[in-house]
Amino acid sequence: MEAVHADEFTVEAVERALQQLYYDPDMEQKNVAQKWLTQAQASPQAWHFCWALLRPEKVPEIQFFGASTLHAKISRHWSELPPGQLDSLRSQLIAQVDQFASGSKMVLTRLCVALASLVLHVLPETWPTAVPDLLCAFQTGESVTEAGGQSRCLALLELLSVLPEELQSSRIPASRRSQLRSALAVDWSSVCSLLQQLLQRPDAPSPVRERVLRCVSSWHTLDIALKDSEGLLESCFALLKESEMFDTAVETIVSIISQPDCQRFADSLLKVVPQVLALQEQLKKAVQDGDMETSHGICRIAVALGETHCRTLLEQVDHWQGFQALVSMIMSCTGTPGHYPVDETSSSLTLTFWYTLQDDVTSLDAERQTLYLQIYRPVYFQLVDVLLQKACFPRDEEYAGWSADDKEQFRTYRVDISDTLMYVYELLGPELLRNLYDKLGSLLTDTTQPSSWQDIEALLFGFQSIAETVDVSYSDVIPGLIALIPLITANNLQLAETIMFTIGSLAEWLADHSLMLANVLPVVLHGLSNPDLSVACVSALKRICRECRHDLHLHTTDIMAVSQAVLVKDIHKALGFLLSALPREEILGKLLSLVTPHIQQLEKLASEPPSSANKLPVVHILGLLSNLFSTFDLNKQSQRLEVMRPVQTQPHNDNPVVVVLQQAFPLIQTIVSKWLNEPDVVEAVCAVFEKSLKTLLHDFAPLVTQLCELIGQMFGAYPQASALDLTRQLVHIFGCEKDLFSPILALLELITNITMSIFHLGSRDHPDVVESFMQLHAQVLRRKADLYLSDRLDIKAVFYCGILSFKFPETPTLKATCLLFTELISHCEEIPAVREVLQEDGKLLLQTLLEAIGGQSPRSLTEHFAEVLFSVSRNCPNMLSVWLREALLPPGFPSSHLTTEHKDHFCQQILREQVSKRRMKDIVKEFALLSRGLQGTECAANY
């Protein structure tokens, strides 16, 4: 379609555009039609052509667009409605709803939404009796069993349902929304009376009752008082006996009793409890019949009541038995027979209830807490038994038949159970561990009662869940557990994995009881030979080596021998912890014996022509070395990359990792030269040095010059973010080392020049490189800003690259760019080049920043843009005054939503704010909302 003038928004033109939108096979033409129709809907003529589109002879697609246009005009362009036209509009809309009551359902719904929007505009001032008037307009006295009567009834129910929904979804200021909610709530009694009559009519058709229930749910979003819905709620419970109404009735009951406001009406809540308890027979039958839908629905109701109103019901001490019965009902839901999610789906719904009950009981006053702990401590011990039973794996043949999705859901379910057990431990304490230990000991030692691996695994799973996050150092049952573990015959993969994870969770305890290592370490080392157990075994070994490194000297030979025989992922991380705890004179020999086979394999691969077949082993071996060096910590520093003092730290020239890297460096150079254009290999090489740098810190100094040359070679051939990140680590650690000033500066110069060429050729395809480049220069400014005093490093070019980076849509890139400018501006006094570029093009920076704030970039970044503005305000206040006013001078910049007054107010606020960063963020946030036309909307309230 061609661009059209406003006077061409005619009925015929709209119909042609709709024909094109729905039936033209050309997507480009569809998009043109869509854009044109959007303009047509926004035009004043839409108030007129929408009615013509709703004529009975039109097809439903055209009628639907007419109804949608009507809603768009009422909801977004209400101010265009001529004075005195409200009554006419209201009458026409009601007539159209009545007409379409027996017509197209999708058109009817849009008309109801339009009428609801009109009501929200005029309630309560102009049309205070809107709801009663509408009830009268659509109740003609016809029976709901007759076609006409049923259609009108359904239309009225649709209108009543969408009214609260339109209030929820519309962009209405919070104060106005509250006023409308209160105004509608006043009419609930008349609406409730109608709904109750319809539900209680024995001859009411199912569609009518379904729509009634939907209407009830919708109105209860208005915080309707529970006491005002008691009768209606009873009718909803009665509908649970009818299978065709069951699902909708469940949704409605849950929506009513899940309203937090119900807590104000304890008497009404107490009436609901027996109604829920009365569902137990129906629940029991559903479980017996395998009716998962019914059991799931009843469980939802019980949990909704218990979880939402736990505290209120606990406070009704005189009615404790009723609440205890509800808790027992929820316990039966938790213990629903069968395996989740194949046999049942109810038990997972109940887990958060147990958190709530525990929290509420333990937060009561001392007297009531004592009473309820006597009641509920035994309940929680029962809960542990139930949860461990639910966590049991099914029989092997049954589990083998499960789908991958079922297995993943079961895994997640067990994680949720694990979290619950950990939380329950806070209530039950060491007695819980004693309980688990006694049961495990009985299973393993009682030969008269054969036990399944599933039962043993579940108890170990319980131990692991607690030991993973709770300090068990004072428990007297852990030595017994350690002694029991070697007695377990791990003839099943799941059981063996849980044994390994349990041992790993006890690593901190083993560090304080090193004599017990001999009990469990052979179990872990034996498991390493099973490829299926590699992840669990390596996890356990890594944790033991990290926590017990100084007590493993007697086991070092065994660990090294087994580890070298099974080169599984991450095992070298464990060995790094182990080797770094050995006597210094032993480390180099052990380290060389470990890495020499890998180096020899790398030499062999490096001698072969590069191919996809040998690339994978090259990357794999480099990954093993990275893992080893990442944990090889001779200094035992817990925080590697805290901001370090600019004081010369004397390196250890005999650091074993440095010795190995120096010996391997020529080989790595050979690999790089052969695989320069392979990102995976280059990234793996960078990882080796980055992990080594983080661990060695200043000990890495002998390798810096060589590494700078290698990074330059890699980045020059194929610019990658990993090379920039590695350079950033070099700057961070050695930025203040005078002896290493020259190679680092040369590398920065080379990297900067290469990245400039990327910007000139088009950097859009390299957001990761741009992000890392911004982070690198921000790091240089923070650690060694005087590098920019050199003529060799062009800070102006970095500035203009940053300007271009503001145009990127990627959030991490924009954050890094903001960080760069925040640092750069703070150095405008001591670095002449920074001062010069800001004097020349500070206005360009402000324009770019305002464009981003005004709508070009995601709103989530507003605080980061504010950081840049705050830096400008603090460091260049005089220039900011000029730049800001000039940048905001053009009309419509940075947004057509902004008036001159908005801009002037923004300038005044920005220029005044040089102290509070928080205040600056609020100013920029408000400006961003104004620029997007969101000020005062629900969207703004959530921002």
Side-chain angles (χ1 to χ4, degrees), residues 139-154:
Q139 292 187 75
T140 59
E142 293 177 275
S143 171
V144 294
T145 58
E146 298 173 9
Q150 181 176 333
S151 296
R152 281 195 177 80
C153 182
L154 288 172

Side-chain angles (χ1 to χ4, degrees), residues 650-662:
Q650 292 298 322
H652 298 289
N653 294 324
D654 60 344
N655 190 298
V657 174
V658 174
V659 174
V660 170
L661 284 173
Q662 285 175 321

Side-chain angles (χ1 to χ4, degrees), residues 676-679 682 713-720 723 766:
L676 261 180
N677 294 318
E678 279 294 339
V682 172
Q713 181 186 356
M714 291 188 294
F715 197 76
Y718 193 98
Q720 272 188 250
H766 307 280

